[in-house]
């Protein structure tokens, strides 16, 4: 039985990856910095909270990391833990760098020293492309990070590559474009929208307040992306891979489609920060824009080229944008109808 250690087990990807690996017969250890029962909702929703073996581990604490690696002796480590919210990284840049950059170095050092034959996955991100130098972006596109989150992830990405080259470790980086699901955190724009749409539908919330409606993202479906992570660690040689859909859509499009799923047609008035979205039927304002939600530097357009993942891993995205919006909105409508 293979042993996998997943950091960030309470997060969206941690939960889906744990489910996938358990289904494949792995013994799954979840590294959790809080080690309590609260906040376990994702593992519970997937019905796997009883099957994941939780180890207390914080990426800020080297002795703690070393202790867990020595105890678990994992065959595979998936490093999904991060301060993953780009907006917050502007408020907490040092903490973000400590977790997302130095945390990865701590983890790699512990593995190198204690169990160097462990296969390692690093959660790199399309945010590293930032002010993108070319469209679409692939594994060779130069980085131009636009946030403390992205600069920290660039450090982690190159550190992973360096451990592969310097110490011959099986260390992979998955450069994943945005991937969403009904288990996405409420701070991210997609789930913020679908949660608000459901609350507006049930009269619990009055309106949705957003930032930049015109930024564009390549949004895929998270359960498919964790399968890509698994595939990266099953190859003969470690490498970097982009996972994406090769389609891009604006926040505005996501808003329109989510409201449509709940039966509202949106009419826009005004531009940029003065934009408002009205319910076409009643004229009521349902969406407002607030400067506060804009970022000091924005990533305007992301679109990924997953050709290498398709050729080498046989990986392809299946769930399309419209379907993702529908799945997420219907789930939040169901949650609100049951008051959960
Ligand atoms: P997520 O839902 O925010 O989960 C991140 C997890 O990291 C949380 O469970 C959090 O624990 C944990 N964490 C934070 N600080 C930690 C620390 N100091 N020590 C240990 N654990 C810590 O993120 P996700 O969407 O699943 O993403 C997984 C990874 O992929 C992240 O590294 C993210 O940066 C990266 N990524 C995500 C996307 C995407 O679109 N989802 C795309 C590219 C890359 P708590 O629950 O205790 O807060
Ligand atoms: O923002 C705009 C915002 O926070 C998407 C993380 O998983 O994916 C995620 O990072 C876009 C941005 O995700 C609001 O300005 C408008 O342009 O959902 P987001 P993100 O920043 O793309 C990458 C790949 C990761 O690696 C990250 O870990 O939406 N936007 N209005 C808003 N965003 C938020 N959050 N809230 C708003 O009200």
């Amino acid at each position: 039985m293979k042993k996998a250690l997943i950091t960030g087990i309470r997060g969206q990807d941690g939960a889906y990856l744990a489910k996938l690996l358990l289904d494949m017969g792995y013994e799954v250890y979840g590294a959790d910095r809080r080690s309590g029962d609260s906040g376990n909702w994702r593992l519970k929703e997937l019905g796997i909270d009883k099957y994941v073996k939780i180890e207390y581990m914080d990426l800020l604490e080297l002795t703690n990391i070393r202790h867990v690696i020595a105890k678990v002796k994992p065959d595979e480590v998936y490093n999904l833990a991060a301060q993953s919210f780009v907006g917050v990284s502007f408020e907490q840049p040092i903490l973000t760098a400590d977790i997302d950059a130095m945390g990865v170095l701590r983890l790699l050092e512990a593995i190198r020293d204690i169990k160097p034959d462990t296969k390692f996955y690093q959660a790199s991100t399309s945010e590293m492309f930032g002010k993108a130098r070319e469209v679409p972006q692939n594994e060779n596109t130069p980085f131009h990070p636009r946030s403390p989150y992205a600069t920290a992830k660039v450090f982690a990405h190159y550190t992973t590559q360096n451990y592969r080259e310097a110490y011959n470790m099986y260390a992979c980086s998955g450069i994943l474009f945005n991937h969403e699901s009904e288990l996405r955190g409420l701070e991210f724009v997609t789930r913020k929208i679908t949660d608000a749409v459901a609350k507006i539908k049930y009269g619990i919330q009055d309106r949705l307040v957003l930032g930049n409606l015109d930024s564009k993202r390549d949004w895929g479906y998270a359960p498919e992306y964790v399968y890509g992570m698994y595939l990266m660690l099953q190859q003969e040689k470690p490498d970097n891979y982009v996972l994406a859909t090769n389609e891009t859509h604006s926040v505005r499009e996501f808003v329109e489609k989510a409201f449509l799923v709940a039966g509202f047609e949106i009419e826009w008035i005004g531009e940029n920060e003065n934009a408002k979205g009205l319910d076409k039927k009643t004229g009521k304002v349902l969406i407002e824009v607030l400067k506060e939600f804009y970022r000091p530097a924005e990533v305007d357009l992301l679109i990924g080229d997953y050709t290498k993942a398709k050729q080498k891993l046989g990986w392809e995205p299946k769930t399309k944008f419209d379907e993702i919006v529908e799945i997420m909105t219907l789930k939040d409508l169901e949650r609100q109808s049951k008051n959960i």
Side-chain angles (χ1 to χ4, degrees):
M1 202 189 237
K2 270 203 218 171
K3 274 192 268 184
L5 174 68
I6 303 173
T7 73
I9 192 70
R10 286 182 195 268
Q12 168 189 264
D13 291 5
Y16 282 123
L17 180 64
K19 169 101 176 74
L20 176 85
L21 297 180
L22 283 167
D23 288 347
M24 286 180 162
Y26 276 68
E27 192 175 345
V28 175
Y29 289 81
D32 175 16
R33 65 172 161 166
R34 282 179 290 161
S35 187
D37 204 33
S38 68
N40 246 358
W41 67 277
R42 293 187 174 96
L43 299 180
K44 281 189 179 140
E45 265 204 45
L46 296 179
I48 56 168
D49 52 311
K50 303 275 182 296
Y51 305 102
V52 176
K53 296 174 179 163
I54 297 294
E55 291 292 335
Y56 182 79
M57 186 174 121
D58 195 312
L59 285 188
L60 296 175
E61 172 62 65
L62 179 62
T63 50
N64 173 213
I65 296 172
R66 288 180 58 88
H67 172 74
V68 174
I69 298 294
K71 181 179 169 192
V72 175
K73 296 191 184 63
D75 299 296
E76 297 174 2
V77 169
Y78 294 86
N79 181 37
L80 309 185
Q83 190 304 94
S84 72
F85 187 28
V86 175
V88 162
S89 78
F90 288 100
E91 304 298 322
Q92 301 183 329
I94 297 166
L95 178 67
T96 302
D98 211 353
I99 300 170
D100 298 9
M102 291 304 290
V104 181
L105 186 54
R106 289 183 193 103
L107 188 50
L108 279 165
E109 268 299 279
I111 294 171
R112 179 171 82 88
D113 195 26
I114 298 165
K115 194 169 178 301
D117 64 341
T118 304
K119 291 184 169 184
F120 179 79
Y121 173 86
Q122 168 57 16
S124 284
T125 166
S126 52
E127 286 292 303
M128 300 188 306
F129 298 124
K131 199 172 164 64
R133 309 270 181 89
E134 60 186 17
V135 180
Q137 298 88 42
N138 65 32
E139 293 79 4
N140 301 316
T141 302
F143 299 139
H144 187 144
R146 296 272 282 171
S147 63
Y149 168 76
T151 55
K153 285 284 189 176
V154 169
F155 174 92
H157 180 80
Y158 282 132
T159 299
T160 303
Q161 194 165 300
N162 183 242
Y163 273 59
R164 181 161 82 217
E165 293 168 1
Y167 307 118
N168 211 15
M169 281 169 60
Y170 193 108
C172 292
S173 263
I175 307 174
L176 271 51
F177 282 63
N178 298 53
H179 43 281
E180 316 296 315
S181 74
E182 49 281 46
L183 299 186
R184 188 59 145 148
L186 284 168
E187 64 273 40
F188 301 101
V189 77
T190 55
R191 184 79 205 292
K192 179 175 172 180
I193 295 167
T194 60
D195 176 66
V197 166
K199 286 181 175 153
I200 290 169
K201 179 79 179 177
Y202 283 96
I204 299 160
Q205 188 171 321
D206 190 40
R207 59 185 66 177
L208 165 64
V209 184
L210 291 170
N212 188 355
L213 293 171
D214 296 312
S215 63
K216 291 180 142 187
R217 290 291 184 278
D218 178 329
W219 278 300
Y221 191 46
E224 293 162 11
Y225 284 54
V226 301
Y227 181 54
M229 296 174 189
Y230 159 78
L231 289 175
M232 286 178 214
L233 295 202
Q234 315 311 316
Q235 306 306 303
E236 209 180 304
K237 287 188 181 148
D239 209 340
N240 302 331
Y241 296 92
V242 161
L243 301 185
T245 69
N246 198 233
E247 272 186 31
T248 193
H249 297 273
S250 66
V251 172
R252 190 187 294 270
E253 274 177 88
F254 197 107
V255 170
E256 287 168 4
K257 293 214 185 302
F259 272 100
L260 205 56
V261 173
F264 298 96
E265 213 180 320
I266 300 299
E267 185 173 31
W268 298 100
I269 56 166
E271 303 254 319
N272 304 321
E273 292 144 60
N274 299 316
K276 286 191 193 323
L278 313 181
D279 178 358
K280 208 168 177 179
K281 221 184 275 168
T282 63
K284 190 172 177 278
V285 176
L286 296 183
I287 304 124
E288 265 183 351
V289 172
L290 200 62
K291 186 86 179 144
E292 202 181 299
F293 290 114
Y294 276 62
R295 292 172 183 172
E298 181 59 278
V299 170
D300 295 320
L301 168 70
L302 287 174
I303 176 162
D305 172 1
Y306 63 89
T307 308
K308 180 174 171 184
K310 186 176 175 185
Q311 284 172 353
K312 300 213 163 161
L313 307 177
W315 181 91
E316 261 188 292
K318 295 189 180 69
T319 312
K320 296 284 176 193
F321 175 75
D322 282 7
E323 233 180 306
I324 297 168
V325 181
E326 191 174 321
I327 292 169
M328 291 178 68
T329 311
L330 289 177
K331 185 66 190 181
D332 275 322
L333 285 166
E334 185 197 321
R335 283 183 178 124
Q336 289 310 321
S337 75
K338 293 180 181 158
N339 215 359
I340 45 175

